[in-house]
Amino acid sequence: MRYFFVTTPIYYVNDKPHIGHAYSTIIADSVARFKRLSGYRVFFMTGTDEHGLKIEREAAARAVTPRKLADDVHTKFKDLFKLLNISFDRFIRTTDPDHESTVQTAFKKLLEKGDVYLSEYEGWYCVPDETFLTEKSLVEGNCPQCGRAAARVKEKSYFLKLGKYESRLLDYIESHPGFIKPSFRKNEVVSFLKEGLNDLSISRTSFVWGIPVPGDENHVIYVWFDALLNYLTGIGFGDYLKYGNKNGGETFLRFFKTANHVVGKDILKFHSVYWPIMLFALDLPLPETIFAHGWWLMDNKKMSKSLGNVVDPLDLISEYGADALRYYLLREVPPGLDGDFNPDNFITRYNSDLANDLGNLVSRSAAMLAKYMGGEIPGASAGEDNPLLSFADDLAGGLNERYDNYEFSKILEDAFRFVNMVNKYINDNAPWKLNPEEEDGLKTLKKILRTAFVSIYYASYFIYPFMPETSGKINALLNVGPFEFENVKIERGGGLKGFAGGIFNRAHKINMDEKARGVLFPKK
Ligand code: ME8
């Protein structure tokens, strides 16, 4: 059994989600869906980061308890993810009891080991980013990342020894080229490491909303130390601690070694420096990959709750559907780069790619099949046009590598190139000009329609991880089940050969219900 663990950042509950949060989550969901289809045992986790000063302050501003704020806002993330068809296996909250226990256990372990020690922190802190800052990194007294005023802090604190693991981490990063993706981000991390690391403060005493330090309850554990450990809690760290590598504990390590952490570039340092060092200190293996995506910008500024320039995903979903949003976000931007969210561009893509190219291909093919074949896709004996299907097979064969490199925009570009090749094939062959009353005419018509429908099935497969609802509708129209490993059996690197042929070997009637033949994407 091959395992695959994929995660999103866990999101702060100071405000409702925007499309930046939707983006990371859709990326992880698409990968999870592809891996499941490829036969992996997948665990996909997302959730909310609920502790810390930022949440405590927001709750005070709203005159509610932090707990109440977290209870209310985390449901907004859950509701959004439901609308977006996010197939997570666990939605973790850092206030979940099993997580609190992970954090306290880890803290205690490191304290006993001597990798955590008590001292005093004096320096700068950015509350919105929940980040300690060095004096020299400040830009006119402000946080270099978000531009907001940094606060001066002086308080007792526990520290994690980072220097002890610095060179081990450098070696690890150099010898594991797939650890940080895209590769151009690796250099940033390496130069940060080469500057030398100060030990990391991992507890606070000036507020209370956090997990208490075991045995020293004046301190609450630093929100990032708490948050990063969610990746262990969700896959059974508790069982691993209790039973080691047996009685279910072994699945913990199996999953964790395959971890792919999908994060925004803003939090790459936490994931590629602090997190690995925490894992070294805990004697655990490192995740397989940290994939840092870029930012969605609005008028060239990072979309963010505090800047107030956010796009509400709920508006887009209610107007265009979840799949349109999923498609746009993953199609538009190459891996790791920023994207400018442009509403006109969104509508253009919707109308041209989804309504015209894909939607029309499906509806006009179904109309022709109804008209000429009584809704029956001719069997393999009708023959097919191989260049088109070979192109699809080649695309399918390259998918694993593309997914491994998070190259969604390329996958979707190719999928829609294929859709347009099928449209062109139909236009060039003009089946409506053929006479089905004549033997030759009927033969050619059968071949064209068969080719079109096998192609539509391929297209449905290509888009499935990104647009599961649309793919489901196409499969329902084709009268075949949803894509699952058991009925698709696509082996790693093996492509699709035979997969469409298998189902469509014999003549196969599509679903002629009006509902099944409904428009996929109404024009806007
Ligand atoms: O940082 N474009 O939570 P957060 C793209 N709790 N992605 C964006 C984005 C944008 N404009 N804005 C936010 C935290 N994101 C911590 C994480 S993980 C152990 C703890 C996405 O609510 C992106 O993934 O500020 C970014 O890293 C994340 O949301 C930050 O969410």
Side-chain angles (χ1 to χ4, degrees):
M1 175 60 79
R2 292 169 299 178
Y3 288 72
F4 186 73
F5 178 38
V6 61
T7 68
T8 72
I10 48 171
Y11 306 109
Y12 288 128
V13 286
N14 60 317
D15 206 351
K16 63 182 186 181
H18 60 71
I19 61 164
H21 307 109
Y23 182 50
S24 316
T25 317
I26 293 167
I27 290 179
D29 185 62
S30 301
V31 178
R33 286 175 183 274
F34 179 73
K35 290 285 181 180
R36 284 192 203 106
L37 258 197
S38 312
Y40 286 77
R41 184 170 165 197
V42 172
F43 200 88
F44 167 23
M45 209 164 68
T46 186
T48 40
D49 191 355
E50 305 191 350
H51 293 124
L53 186 53
K54 167 168 158 151
I55 308 301
E56 191 178 278
R57 284 202 180 152
E58 179 63 29
R62 297 191 195 190
V64 293
T65 60
R67 180 78 211 191
K68 169 90 174 79
L69 178 66
D71 284 349
D72 289 350
V73 178
H74 99 276
T75 59
K76 296 201 175 359
F77 281 89
K78 261 193 180 156
D79 291 348
L80 171 65
F81 295 166
K82 189 157 182 227
L83 285 175
L84 281 171
N85 290 309
I86 302 299
S87 60
F88 59 79
D89 295 293
R90 176 164 173 184
F91 186 102
I92 192 168
R93 303 179 61 186
T94 51
T95 47
D96 288 340
D98 61 343
H99 177 67
E100 299 201 345
S101 148
T102 298
V103 175
Q104 290 197 320
T105 307
F107 195 100
K108 229 158 96 194
K109 243 183 134 162
L110 300 187
L111 193 63
E112 281 160 11
K113 192 175 173 190
D115 281 350
V116 165
Y117 62 94
L118 183 63
S119 179
E120 187 176 66
Y121 177 77
E122 181 167 11
W124 297 95
Y125 193 76
C126 171
V127 179
D129 286 351
E130 296 282 18
T131 307
F132 295 96
L133 301 167
T134 59
E135 174 108 27
K136 79 168 199 272
S137 73
L138 299 185
V139 180
E140 293 171 4
N142 295 326
C143 167
Q145 172 111 339
C146 71
R148 283 163 293 193
R152 186 81 191 161
V153 173
K154 185 175 182 208
E155 63 190 35
K156 283 214 145 179
S157 180
Y158 285 89
F159 285 82
L160 174 64
K161 288 181 184 166
L162 298 187
K164 177 173 170 188
Y165 297 102
E166 201 177 289
S167 62
R168 181 165 162 203
L169 181 56
L170 260 174
D171 288 348
Y172 190 92
I173 291 175
E174 295 296 1
S175 59
H176 293 78
F179 183 58
I180 297 171
K181 289 180 186 167
S183 52
F184 66 81
R185 292 255 168 247
K186 186 187 113 178
N187 300 339
E188 286 169 27
V189 176
V190 168
S191 37
F192 175 75
L193 272 170
K194 284 190 171 156
E195 278 174 24
L197 298 172
N198 294 325
D199 289 349
L200 180 69
S201 166
I202 57 163
S203 77
R204 307 285 318 265
T205 49
S206 49
F207 63 95
V208 296
W209 181 236
I211 300 174
V213 165
D216 193 353
E217 314 246 318
N218 291 330
H219 292 250
V220 292
I221 294 173
Y222 174 42
V223 62
W224 271 101
F225 186 89
D226 165 354
L228 287 162
L229 286 163
N230 91 82
Y231 301 134
L232 302 187
T233 307
I235 45 167
F237 185 54
D239 283 346
Y240 174 70
L241 288 176
K242 248 190 259 163
Y243 308 118
N245 254 336
K246 50 183 191 303
N247 295 337
E250 66 278 15
T251 53
F252 166 77
L253 278 185
R254 284 189 191 140
F255 272 122
F256 192 69
K257 284 183 198 158
T258 70
N260 272 239
H261 297 312
V262 174
V263 300
K265 65 180 183 182
D266 46 328
I267 57 173
L268 177 60
K269 184 172 80 182
F270 292 95
H271 284 80
S272 59
V273 177
Y274 304 144
W275 179 226
I277 289 183
M278 284 166 66
L279 292 165
F280 282 152
L282 288 166
D283 298 314
L284 289 171
L286 300 197
E288 183 179 61
T289 292
I290 294 143
F291 170 67
H293 64 68
W295 286 338
W296 280 98
L297 314 171
M298 196 69 175
D299 304 324
N300 282 320
K301 281 202 201 82
K302 180 183 179 227
M303 206 180 275
S304 84
K305 298 176 255 202
S306 45
L307 288 178
N309 59 346
V310 296
V311 175
D312 189 338
L314 296 179
D315 296 340
L316 291 168
I317 296 170
S318 71
E319 175 76 21
Y320 302 95
D323 279 4
L325 178 60
R326 292 175 63 114
Y327 174 71
Y328 176 79
L329 293 179
L330 269 60
R331 168 73 199 260
E332 201 60 19
V333 182
L337 301 188
D338 292 345
D340 202 35
F341 189 89
N342 177 324
D344 292 340
N345 194 3
F346 180 93
I347 296 169
T348 305
R349 275 226 178 271
Y350 175 92
N351 281 329
S352 73
D353 300 6
L354 301 181
N356 274 350
D357 299 347
L358 179 63
N360 275 351
L361 169 64
V362 174
S363 61
R364 70 176 174 153
S365 303
M368 282 190 286
L369 197 73
K371 183 167 171 194
Y372 299 120
M373 302 283 142
E376 190 169 272
I377 304 170
S381 58
E384 11 185 69
D385 269 290
N386 286 327
L388 204 51
L389 301 184
S390 297
F391 181 84
D393 266 334
D394 288 347
L395 284 191
L399 283 178
N400 283 304
E401 202 184 326
R402 288 254 155 107
Y403 274 92
D404 283 348
N405 291 319
Y406 290 82
E407 291 177 324
F408 310 116
S409 55
K410 280 206 184 125
I411 299 171
L412 283 168
E413 199 182 306
D414 283 344
F416 277 77
R417 181 173 304 142
F418 176 63
V419 163
N420 280 329
M421 283 166 67
V422 186
N423 274 322
K424 183 169 183 312
Y425 168 79
I426 293 173
N427 293 345
D428 290 351
N429 286 286
W432 47 87
K433 287 192 185 150
L434 297 167
N435 182 356
E437 306 296 322
E438 286 169 8
E439 201 185 321
D440 277 359
L442 183 64
K443 209 172 144 206
T444 315
L445 197 53
K446 280 186 168 175
K447 181 171 151 187
I448 296 168
L449 286 174
R450 175 175 168 76
T451 306
F453 273 88
V454 172
S455 300
I456 288 172
Y457 190 54
Y458 274 55
S460 180
Y461 166 72
F462 292 137
I463 65 166
Y464 163 77
F466 309 99
M467 294 193 272
E469 205 177 315
T470 306
S471 167
K473 282 184 190 162
I474 296 175
N475 285 17
L477 170 69
L478 298 187
N479 236 342
V480 297
F483 291 110
E484 279 165 18
F485 177 59
E486 281 314 310
N487 60 27
V488 176
K489 288 267 196 281
I490 303 155
E491 291 302 328
R492 199 170 170 79
L496 278 176
K497 290 201 171 59
F499 125 83
I503 295 180
F504 299 109
N505 260 343
R506 293 207 199 132
H508 176 96
K509 195 134 185 159
I510 67 166
N511 188 343
M512 298 288 284
D513 282 2
E514 235 164 77
K515 200 164 158 245
R517 289 171 57 192
V519 177
L520 287 176
F521 296 98
K523 263 218 137 143
K524 299 285 175 184

